Amino acid sequence: MDEIRVLSATAILGYGFPDASFEAGLARGPHLIAADAGSCDPGPYYLGAGASFTDRTAVTRDLERMIRAGQRLGIPVVIGSAGGAGAAPHLAWLRGIVDEIAAGQGLRLRAAVIPADIDRETVLQALRDGRISALPHGPQLTAEDIHASTHLVAQMGTAPFVAALRDGADIVLAGRAYDPAVFAALPLLHGFDEGLALHMSKILECAAIAAVPGSGSDCMLGTLRRDHFVLEPLNPVRRCTPTSVAAHTLYEKSDPYHLPGPGGYLDLSDCVFTSEDERGVRVSGSRHIAQPFAVKLEGARLRGYRTVSVAGARDPYFIREIDTVIQGVRDRVADNFPDIPPDSYELLVRVYGADGCMGPLEPSPRPAGHEVGIVIEAVADSQDLADTLCGFARSTMLHFGYPGRLSTAGNLAFPYSPSDFHAGEVYEWSVHHLMATDDPAALFPITFVDYPGDPS
Amino acid sequence: MTAPLTELADVVRSKNSGPYELTIDIIFTGQDQYELVKQRRAISRELVAELYRVPVDDVGEPIFYDPAKAVKINLRRPLVSGNVGERDVYGAQQHGPLLTLRLPTP
C-alpha cells in the first residue's frame, strides 16, 4: 500500500457538510471516512449532565450519509468522542442513532463500541500513587474533585481504534478520544509513519477549517504516503495554501512545534509546507516522539442551578449611574433576604457595552455607547432559590431610584415575557488532568455489536 | 516608523487551549514585518501583561512560528472555562486589547 486516503466529513459530527463535497471525496476512493464528534470547548455542562451539544437530527443526517457511503465503498466509518463529551450516556445516545439508521435501512454492519469512562476508584488509586499531574495553570487534583464528578472519562489514543479496525469493524463508535485518533488509526494499522499520520489527522480533525475560506462544515481529503501527506478541500470554492495549513497548526494549541497527545507528542519543528496542484498542500517532516503513556482525564461537577434575566437600558442617566445601581441592587437583595447566607449563592450582573465580554481583562470598562445590554444571573443550590434571587434583583433594578433619574416609570427594557429564564443545572470542570498509565488498552475495552441484532 | 497591528496582520484571534489557558495568534501579512517583530522581540510577555493588566507570570513567552509568519501568546484564563462568572466559554473574544497595538515597521 503506497498511499492511504482519509475522508474527513465534518469538523464535529452534526455540523453538516455539502453532499457535493462528500460525493467528490467518495469519488477519490477513500479508505476511511471519519469524524471527530467531540470537544471540551463548549464547557463543562455537557459532560456533567450527560447531554450532547450537537443536535440529534443533525447528527443523524451526517451519520446516515457516512454509513451509507461506507457500505457502498466497503470501507470503515470511525466516530470518536460520541455526543461531544464521550461519556457513557453520550455513547448510548450515539448508539441509539446508529440502531435507528441500521434498522431503517436494513443494514448488515459490524460495530465496535469503545467506552471511555474511567472508574472512580481507578482515578483515586492513581492519585494515591502520584500518577496524576496538573496541566499548566490548572489546579492539583483532589479526592474531593474525583468524588464530586458526575462522569469521568479519559481520552483514548489510537490503539483501541487500531484494534477495532483490525478485528473487522465496519463502524467504530467511541467515547472520549484524542481528536486525531479516528483518522490516524487505519494508517497506523497499515504501518504508516506515526508522526505524519497524526499530524495529518490533527488537521483533518477540523475538516475544512484549514482551507481558505475555512469551514467546519465541509469535507477535506488527506492522502498519506510514506514520507509526506497532502491535504485538499473537496469543495471547489476552497483551497489549501501552505500558510493556511501551517496557520492551522497554531489553532487551539499552546505550542505549534510540540503537540502533546496520549503516548507522546508531535514534533513539528522541521515541517515543510508546499503547494501541490491548485488546491492541495504537501506536508513533510512531522515526527512523533514517544513518551511514557498518559491519558487526559475529564470530569465535571454540579455547581448549582441558574436563573437568568436579559434586559437593555437606553437612558443616558441610568447608564452613567450603572455601577451605583448594580451595587444598590446587590445590597437590597442581601438586605431583603437576611436568612440566605451570602456565600450560598452568586448574583452576577453583566453589562454588555461596558465589560460584558472581558470583565477584569477589559481595558475600557466604562459604557461608551448610547445603550447597554444587561444580564442578571443567579446561581444557587436550588432552582427555587436561584429564581427568588434573580427575580428580586430584576424587579429591584427595574424600579431602582438613582441620582438624576428622570425615567420614573422603569429603568429596563425587557425583550421577553416571562423575563426570567430557568437555565437549569450548572456544572464546572472538576477534572482536567493527566494520568500516567502502563496499560492504556485495558482502560478502553472494545465490544462488538452485529446488526441486525437478535430480535427482542 | 510604526503602524497599527490591524494593518500588519491577516489574523488576530483568541481561543481556549484547554479550560485553563487562552491562546492568542497573530499571523502577519508580510514576511519582512514578521521577521522584524521576531528579531526585535517587539511583542513580549511584558508588553502583553501590560495590555491586559495582568501579572507577567500569567503570560507565556511568545512563540514565533516561522511557517505561518505567526506569533503565539498564551495567557492564564482569569476564570476556568465555564465557571460561574464566565464571560467567554470558548475564549474567542479576548484578543481585543492587542488590536490597539502599534508595531515598528521595516
Side-chain angles (χ1 to χ4, degrees), chain A residues 66-428:
Chain A
M66 293 166 71
I67 291 175
R68 233 174 15 191
Q71 292 275 290
R72 200 170 93 206
L73 271 58
I75 60 173
V77 172
V78 180
I79 309 293
S81 296
H90 306 93
L91 189 57
W93 178 83
L94 188 68
R95 168 94 187 271
I97 294 174
V98 174
D99 288 351
E100 201 173 277
I101 293 170
Q105 310 222 359
L107 300 177
R108 300 192 75 79
L109 273 178
R110 180 151 216 245
V113 181
I114 318 175
D117 305 83
I118 299 295
D119 175 65
R120 211 178 295 271
E121 187 49 45
T122 302
V123 183
L124 286 165
Q125 189 58 50
L127 184 66
R128 289 192 288 266
D129 294 348
R131 287 187 286 114
I132 304 259
S133 52
L135 294 171
H137 300 309
Q140 295 296 324
L141 190 63
T142 66
E144 189 208 338
D145 296 329
I146 298 166
H147 284 295
S149 302
T150 54
H151 301 288
L152 284 165
V153 292
Q155 284 191 18
M156 68 184 80
T158 50
F161 291 99
V162 172
L165 292 171
R166 182 188 293 125
D167 292 345
D170 299 310
I171 180 164
V172 182
L173 305 175
R176 189 68 171 124
Y178 175 49
D179 295 351
V182 293
F183 305 96
L186 191 67
L188 295 180
L189 176 62
H190 289 285
F192 283 82
D193 179 78
E194 195 168 6
L196 291 169
L198 285 171
H199 189 200
M200 180 177 87
S201 302
K202 148 80 187 130
I203 299 166
L204 284 178
E205 175 256 303
C206 289
I209 288 180
V212 275
S215 171
S217 52
D218 204 347
C219 312
M220 186 93 119
L221 187 77
T223 302
L224 178 61
R225 304 198 179 99
R226 293 295 167 181
D227 61 352
H228 71 275
F229 61 88
V230 176
L231 289 159
E232 53 191 306
L234 293 155
N235 187 330
V237 307
R238 307 183 196 289
R239 56 194 288 260
C240 283
T241 69
T243 306
S244 79
V245 173
H248 186 74
T249 305
L250 296 170
Y251 188 60
E252 298 180 323
K253 298 289 169 209
S254 48
D255 180 347
Y257 294 109
H258 306 98
L259 305 177
Y265 66 93
L266 277 175
D267 182 343
L268 306 181
S269 312
D270 299 326
C271 267
V272 179
F273 302 86
T274 49
S275 285
E276 172 111 342
D277 306 329
E278 288 201 344
R279 294 190 294 124
V281 164
R282 172 189 286 240
V283 183
S284 60
S286 326
R287 288 180 299 157
H288 183 259
I289 311 296
Q291 285 185 313
F293 207 92
V295 289
K296 165 95 88 68
L297 301 177
E298 294 170 356
R301 84 170 107 223
L302 183 67
R303 168 63 197 268
Y305 299 81
R306 175 181 279 139
T307 307
V308 171
S309 187
V310 178
R314 175 66 178 78
D315 186 296
Y317 302 100
F318 177 84
I319 294 172
R320 191 183 65 196
E321 296 294 332
I322 189 119
D323 291 341
T324 314
V325 173
I326 291 171
Q327 189 54 52
V329 167
R330 303 182 68 86
D331 293 345
R332 275 296 297 128
V333 170
D335 176 69
N336 204 67
F337 299 105
D339 297 338
I340 303 175
D343 59 358
S344 71
Y345 66 87
E346 298 268 0
L347 181 65
L348 300 155
V349 181
R350 291 186 176 71
V351 181
Y352 287 92
D355 61 351
C357 295
M358 297 192 67
L361 295 183
E362 176 56 58
S364 314
R366 290 295 308 157
H370 64 278
E371 66 176 21
V372 296
I374 294 170
V375 177
I376 303 170
E377 168 187 356
V379 175
D381 291 343
S382 71
Q383 190 74 62
D384 282 349
L385 184 52
D387 286 355
T388 299
L389 294 163
C390 182
F392 190 82
R394 176 252 305 153
S395 60
T396 304
M397 187 175 277
L398 174 63
H399 296 295
F400 199 84
Y402 56 86
R405 178 161 73 147
L406 301 174
S407 62
T408 54
N411 300 321
L412 300 175
F414 291 106
Y416 308 114
S417 173
S419 59
D420 305 352
F421 301 87
H422 288 170
E425 295 166 326
V426 178
Y427 287 86
E428 291 187 340

